[in-house]
């Protein structure tokens, strides 16, 4: 009986030595993660990652990339390797999808973030992507974390379905321990007893993690909620709570998406959301990506991408000087 | 940050002084709760409470009482005041239901357990019932706990939907602190993320509570599971895990029950379950209620209730000498 | 097997007839709940309820009331009947506490909201309070809901520890069915697997309920988080997500509070929060209570309460014409 | 609003075509999974897997193997690749651990089950192990499931921390779809709000899965509970609920184990448990592994392993004729 009574469990992280690299006071400054494309997470600029759940076709992706860039996003999201609960669901286009992402990202001046599930795919994915997404099902896939830690490509580490904050930070510790300090945490909702939304967004972790770690934190309202109409208000709330960025599903035709259509914004909804976010970012002492606020009032990327469709031009060559990056164009 | 890291939360109950009455070592002996009918919880005899979810009519209840008594149950369950999620659902028959319960209990030699929700009803309910059930929604209804603590009628305290074991024990502490030591705890499943069963039965609390408290613990597989077919194997497992009793929904016609039909056993299923339980109880060093094991192999209560139907005879008069009890017959 | 496969569970509320009064389309207009003090929930003005967890003394409450009024709150919160997990914890001052609340509310022009746990206390509490709080443990205390429904005093209905949105709406339905249409819903966090915060705030219900019901929804970040430092950013986020109000614990000396000190703001923190909220409310097309925005830039209530300390003056007499209300001053 | 109301979520599995291979009626007979060592899961014999959490040394493992074999276990468990929340915890001995497992298994006539986390390790692990354990963190590691599905080595698929039964079955579907039909499901507790036990054992899935799938189901009470004293009663209850086997942590010196000592039985406790299980298995119409019931009342394996310590003899050559197996001795 004494053992039952005397036992205690950790609230927050009470074994500091177990996460010596990610803890807030392990560094003098907060970490700013910078993609090859120039997008940053953790600084004054809020990162806006947007795009379809899955890469379905070149046309779908190009349309989405153009639209989200025009609205002011600076990172393109899209799944080429899709973790699916059922083996009979659409599993993604694989390397073809990666190529499409790279092409669309270059064409519209967007960084590219995409999920990797298999440690054997990391080497291939970093050739195309600017940021490796480690999904909720993989948060404690330790071989994958180690493989990502061996690269220098930024990592977007989503919280596990029912991961405690401590477990999440220790997963990040695996990546940092491998030498890769470019980790961004992403709250995407956790399992709850109520099925009225797809998951339950735990927004309080945003200010909590601000104290506990020097790593940036972003929010994925799309997967958290599963209902497109709820995404804009919660995206706005996330910025106010201190999130360093958002990752949002946007699809040219949500009703016919191969996955996650119910939670995807269409282009008009996304553009409206961006307009809503701008003054909130300003109140928080931050700003949306620069492309969103050019002089003529139009979305900046229209001017940013000088090249015509079909030309494959990319203006971010200088940024792409990373030893990991390859030019596809 | 230090505050986050340093905080800790209790595993089990690490503030022993906060539950000084219910803790195991507060008494030399384990508590045996005895109903006026003679049924006991916590001793060698396993209590078997059975009956319909709600009292629907005199006929329904009489049929159920006869059948569960014949199969060997020693306590009749049935709701007269029904807590219902929707105000438009059947809310119970109130005092009429209580009278039916008392009548059926007396006729078939069964103790009566029934739920009370309102502290103003406690005085009325103890006039009819041998045991007050405090339901899952009321586990932290402190005025109700205090009112139950002011009686000497045994209390069946169900675990709250998402109550920790510590909260549950402290709810029991309220009753004991009022002077009523006759508390039986009832695990009935908790909320979980999976809707495949109605709730998630936390069977491990049975041996855990055996260490933590001197109070008896029983299991309600019907509400935990919500699916009648799963009740028998889990009821059997509960006995083996150490439960001092079971409370099981049994209905003459589950398909047409006004509430909880999907989880109610019919008479044949209940009788079969009792036969399955007998050898398991023996292996656990316990026994089913005596009535179940009479010589001729028939259910004992056929002989036990000497009176003919309609005669209203009750053989438990002596036991009913409690100052709270009233004879209705 | 067919039964397992074929069964389904409701996402959101798929039995519309079961909540015919609270559903969004049951009324042409959204409900605006107005307290006798003039404070409103559901209109253009955001309600700010603030004060200590428990009423501890006349002095503590007066100080708190003066401070929160000065910072712009329009409703005073404070518990006189405290639901406590342990029977050995401070249980509240009872009717003495109610008198102190009424006095402090009148003196500083604040409405008063306080919890009622026992249906037998409803009549007494409505004599002092402008709004009945039904706490998380009582959300499905149906006798209490019915008693509150029989009054015309506004009700603040907190979400249960692990209540689904559907169960919460149906609890509100009980109150409306009794004839009391003045119900405000309050999200206060739910149980989760992670103990890093006290509960998990489910902020998405704010925009979700906006669609599902005509009733106003407010947020309690103090109980949701349990950590004072996290309250301001999440309070701000709640307004942006669409909450019609906030209820926040503020204490003159959080470190020495008799309950919930760890989650209580001190006066300076609360004042700072109010300044942070004002522009966010404006962006949302709403405003903080009028008292907060008077001409000289100082907190409005300094001018609002013309009476000197000790005078017991109250300027809300006209509003207090409710048949339930009594003047104490 | 209509979309919210009309949406529904699956209880159980209501899209039968999405798990066409694992569903109960996909086969006429229930699946019996047979290891090269002769141990079976799903037939009349209950599989008893026992051993340390992690392989720590040759001596530790030999001692454990001898003891569990003597007590009647027929499969040796032990981790060579350890998934650990913290990168600073003991991570396992890797291939050295695999060799020790194979050696100890052969010496004491035990099948060997061990975890594989990395799809790149599958080929190596199947050379040593008789059964691949896919752990709770890997239940939706789809590349790993596919790799395991490409072997013909039996797979022990643990339920994810917060996986629904449907997700679990679909994970098994990935393995079967790869051509490997030898899957055993293992319930090991899920995340809950109460930290009084390590996880919450969902015992009801045992009879539920009996209806839903033809695959065998076993229970891991050690990880579910995290407290050694609770393991025996819950192990016993699991057999009565219908489990086809158990996997139990047993360590020569639990107090000094490198991992999971608090939940490990010592040898005497395990032996006592086996004696307790035998009559329960008989009542369930099953039996413990044959080795446990030899004539002289001693543990069968004393006679089964004819070879003396140090001789490395193994008598299960015939069973090891699998095309994947390699003889190490």
């Amino acid at each position: 009986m004494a053992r039952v009574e005397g036992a205690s469990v950790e609230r927050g992280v009470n074994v500091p030595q177990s996460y010596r690299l990610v803890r807030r006071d392990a560094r003098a400054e907060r970490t700013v993660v910078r993609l090859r494309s120039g997008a940053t997470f953790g600084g004054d600029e809020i990162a806006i990652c947007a795009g379809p759940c899955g890469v379905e076709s070149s046309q779908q992706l190009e349309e989405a990339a153009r639209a989200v860039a025009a609205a002011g996003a600076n990172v393109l999201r899209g799944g080429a390797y899709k973790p699916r609960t059922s083996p009979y669901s659409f599993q993604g286009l694989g390397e073809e999808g990666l190529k499409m992402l790279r092409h669309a990202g270059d064409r519209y001046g967007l960084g590219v973030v995409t999920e990797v599930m298999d440690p054997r795919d990391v080497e291939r994915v970093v050739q195309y992507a600017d940021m490796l997404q480690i999904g909720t099902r993989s948060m404690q896939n330790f071989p994958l974390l180690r493989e990502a830690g061996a690269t220098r490509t930024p990592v977007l580490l989503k919280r596990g379905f029912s991961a405690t904050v401590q477990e999440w930070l220790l997963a990040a510790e695996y990546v940092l321990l491998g030498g890769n300090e470019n980790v961004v945490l992403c709250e995407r909702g956790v399992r709850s007893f109520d099925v009225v939304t797809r998951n339950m967004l735990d927004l309080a972790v945003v200010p909590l993690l601000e104290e506990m770690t020097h790593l940036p934190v972003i929010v994925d309202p799309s997967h958290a909620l599963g209902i497109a109409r709820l995404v804009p208000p919660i995206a706005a709330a996330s910025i106010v709570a201190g999130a360093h960025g958002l990752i949002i599903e946007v699809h040219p035709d949500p009703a016919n998406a191969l996955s996650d259509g119910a939670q995807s914004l269409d282009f008009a909804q996304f553009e409206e959301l961006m307009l809503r976010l701008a003054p909130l970012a300003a109140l928080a002492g931050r700003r949306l990506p620069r492309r969103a606020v050019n002089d003529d009032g139009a979305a900046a990327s229209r001017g940013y991408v000088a090249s015509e469709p079909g030309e494959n031009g990319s203006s971010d060559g200088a940024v792409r000087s990373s030893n990991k990056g390859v030019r596809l164009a």
Side-chain angles (χ1 to χ4, degrees), chain A:
Chain A
M1 187 166 169
R3 281 154 72 192
V4 171
E5 286 178 15
S8 75
V9 74
E10 303 134 70
R11 170 173 277 185
V13 182
N14 64 8
V15 194
Q17 63 276 28
S18 75
Y19 59 111
R20 61 180 80 128
L21 299 178
V22 301
R23 52 187 288 125
R24 178 65 190 86
D25 55 11
R27 290 193 185 174
E29 305 291 325
R30 304 194 64 79
T31 293
V32 177
V33 172
R34 180 178 297 273
L35 306 196
R36 296 179 288 202
S37 65
T40 59
F41 298 74
D44 291 341
E45 194 168 282
I46 290 169
I48 304 290
C49 315
C53 175
V55 178
E56 298 171 7
S57 71
S58 179
Q59 186 190 346
Q60 169 240 25
L61 191 66
E62 291 282 324
E63 285 182 30
R66 186 186 317 163
V68 302
N74 58 349
V75 180
L76 177 64
R77 65 147 290 150
Y81 299 96
K82 302 290 306 165
R84 300 307 297 273
T85 299
S86 165
Y88 306 112
S89 299
F90 172 59
Q91 306 276 321
L93 299 180
E95 190 163 5
E96 280 310 299
L98 294 177
K99 289 178 181 171
M100 293 175 189
L101 281 163
R102 183 69 271 155
H103 186 272
D106 285 345
R107 185 164 175 186
Y108 297 103
L110 298 164
V112 166
V113 58
T114 196
E115 178 159 359
V116 60
M117 285 189 288
D118 190 327
R120 297 168 296 192
D121 288 337
V122 169
E123 191 175 351
R124 183 181 307 116
V125 176
V126 298
Q127 290 179 342
Y128 298 99
D130 302 307
M131 188 176 214
L132 294 170
Q133 179 179 312
I134 294 184
T136 189
R137 294 169 182 82
S138 304
M139 193 202 83
Q140 289 192 318
N141 183 335
F142 302 117
L144 182 63
L145 294 173
R146 286 207 177 87
E147 206 66 43
T151 75
R152 294 301 171 264
T153 301
V155 171
L156 184 64
L157 182 62
K158 291 196 156 189
R159 182 181 187 177
F161 278 138
S162 61
T164 63
V165 167
Q166 177 169 350
E167 290 167 339
W168 191 12
L169 287 174
L170 287 171
E173 185 84 5
Y174 270 91
V175 181
L176 270 71
L177 193 59
N180 186 352
E181 302 191 329
N182 303 302
V183 175
V184 176
L185 301 168
C186 178
E187 162 65 27
R188 45 78 69 205
V190 296
R191 278 275 147 100
S192 92
F193 54 84
D194 198 352
V195 295
V196 76
T197 51
R198 183 171 176 179
N199 292 286
M200 189 171 285
L201 183 71
D202 184 12
L203 192 58
V205 298
V206 171
L208 180 69
L209 286 168
E210 188 87 5
E211 296 190 340
M212 294 177 76
T213 180
H214 54 81
L215 298 173
V217 188
I218 73 169
V219 172
D220 175 350
S222 305
H223 283 89
L225 308 173
I227 301 173
R229 302 181 313 278
L230 304 181
V231 168
I234 298 301
S238 299
I239 296 303
V240 171
H244 294 108
L246 295 168
I247 181 164
I248 294 184
E249 291 192 341
V250 179
H251 193 281
D253 181 10
N256 291 302
L258 293 185
S259 55
D260 283 355
Q263 71 199 32
S264 295
L265 302 186
D266 63 25
F267 297 159
Q269 291 166 327
F270 180 67
E271 191 173 349
E272 189 180 356
L273 169 59
M274 291 298 285
L275 295 173
R276 180 173 177 175
L277 294 180
L280 295 169
L283 277 177
R286 292 180 181 161
R287 62 172 187 276
L288 294 186
R290 285 246 172 78
R291 49 170 52 238
V293 291
N294 64 348
D295 293 343
D296 62 4
S301 62
R302 288 175 206 161
Y304 178 78
V305 178
S307 55
E308 289 301 304
E311 196 184 321
N312 282 337
S314 168
S315 57
D316 66 343
V319 184
R320 303 275 307 293
S321 60
S322 149
N323 61 342
K324 283 284 181 184
V326 296
R327 288 295 295 267
L328 293 182

